[in-house]
Amino acid sequence: MNIPQIRIQSQSAKIGMETAVPVQTIEQPHAQMQLHQENAHITMETTKPQLTIDQSQAWADMNLKSVFRMNAEAAQQSEQEWFQEMAESSQEGDELMMIEHRGSVMAAQAERHGELPTYDFNIGFIPSNFSVKVHFEPGRHNMDVTPQKVVNNTQVRKPYIDYQRGNVSIGMRQQADLQIDFVNLQV
């Protein structure tokens, strides 16, 4: 049996797009830098340390004295002994002058002059303790720094920008189509 039929064929429309990509270039040149700084001003002041060692007393304790010191000590000792001898002679003269008031003055004086002197001596250290004198003055160091300013003559350069616009072309890639066909129609 032949059944009448309607055949429909359709084709959709298609849009086509062509794109030209935009191009952008940016170039940044380096800045022109001119930096300058003078040297800092520096002033320094130094005081040297000083060490003083005085060992003259230690040398004197070992009887290694300078000629001037030995002469001065001998003169002082001689003068002291002379004054002491004068005092003793004066006292003995006074005792003899008043011989009538006392009994045996001459015997007492002879006894004093006849005895040997006794000397006291214990342990001795040569040189004596703390006879070397040490004195130290520390040094000083002063420094003054004056920095100088930086001279900055930097020139900034603008960037180079190039831009090419893109393009979009739109068109029909395929047209729409509709076909209708009748089959087995009896008229």
Side-chain angles (χ1 to χ4, degrees), residues 9 16 21 23 27 66 78 97 128 138 141 153:
Q9 276 188 336
V21 179
V23 177
E27 183 182 334
S66 70
S78 298
M97 193 170 58
S128 61
H141 185 75
N153 292 327

Side-chain angles (χ1 to χ4, degrees), residues 22-126:
V23 177
Q24 180 178 13
T25 57
I26 300 175
E27 183 182 334
Q28 175 69 58
H30 294 290
Q32 290 181 343
M33 296 186 71
Q34 293 178 351
L35 297 174
H36 180 69
Q37 183 177 17
E38 293 290 328
N39 292 335
H41 297 294
I42 300 174
T43 56
M44 291 188 282
E45 182 180 323
T46 303
T47 304
K48 294 181 180 179
Q50 188 171 10
L51 175 65
T52 306
I53 300 174
D54 181 13
Q55 56 186 3
S56 59
Q57 184 60 41
W59 290 110
D61 289 349
M62 294 185 292
N63 206 22
L64 297 173
K65 304 172 191 174
S66 70
V67 174
F68 301 110
R69 185 168 178 176
M70 288 181 85
N71 287 340
E73 286 179 3
Q76 183 181 5
Q77 184 178 359
S78 298
E79 185 179 19
Q80 186 178 358
E81 287 178 3
W82 182 69
F83 283 132
Q84 185 176 354
E85 188 63 34
M86 268 181 53
E88 287 178 10
S89 296
S90 174
Q91 182 182 359
E92 288 178 358
D94 289 344
E95 287 176 1
L96 288 174
M97 193 170 58
M98 294 186 264
I99 199 166
E100 68 274 359
H101 298 293
R102 293 180 126 186
S104 57
V105 174
M106 293 180 91
Q109 286 181 359
E111 188 177 326
R112 268 195 314 241
H113 288 291
E115 294 176 359
L116 290 175
T118 57
Y119 299 103
D120 292 332
F121 184 76
N122 202 349
I123 297 174
F125 295 101
I126 297 178

Side-chain angles (χ1 to χ4, degrees), residues 121-186:
F121 184 76
N122 202 349
I123 297 174
F125 295 101
I126 297 178
S128 61
N129 292 334
F130 307 109
S131 61
V132 176
K133 307 287 190 273
V134 178
H135 178 69
F136 178 72
E137 289 183 29
R140 289 184 300 281
H141 185 75
N142 296 329
M143 184 171 9
D144 183 32
V145 178
T146 306
Q148 300 298 310
K149 291 185 177 180
V150 176
V151 178
N152 186 354
N153 292 327
T154 302
Q155 295 178 355
V156 178
R157 300 170 109 193
K158 293 184 178 180
Y160 299 118
I161 300 174
D162 183 29
Y163 180 71
Q164 296 176 358
R165 294 179 60 179
N167 190 15
V168 177
S169 299
I170 299 175
M172 293 299 289
R173 193 168 55 173
Q174 180 177 323
Q175 295 290 330
D177 185 29
L178 182 60
Q179 293 180 1
I180 300 174
D181 198 14
F182 300 98
V183 179
N184 295 331
L185 277 181
Q186 295 175 0

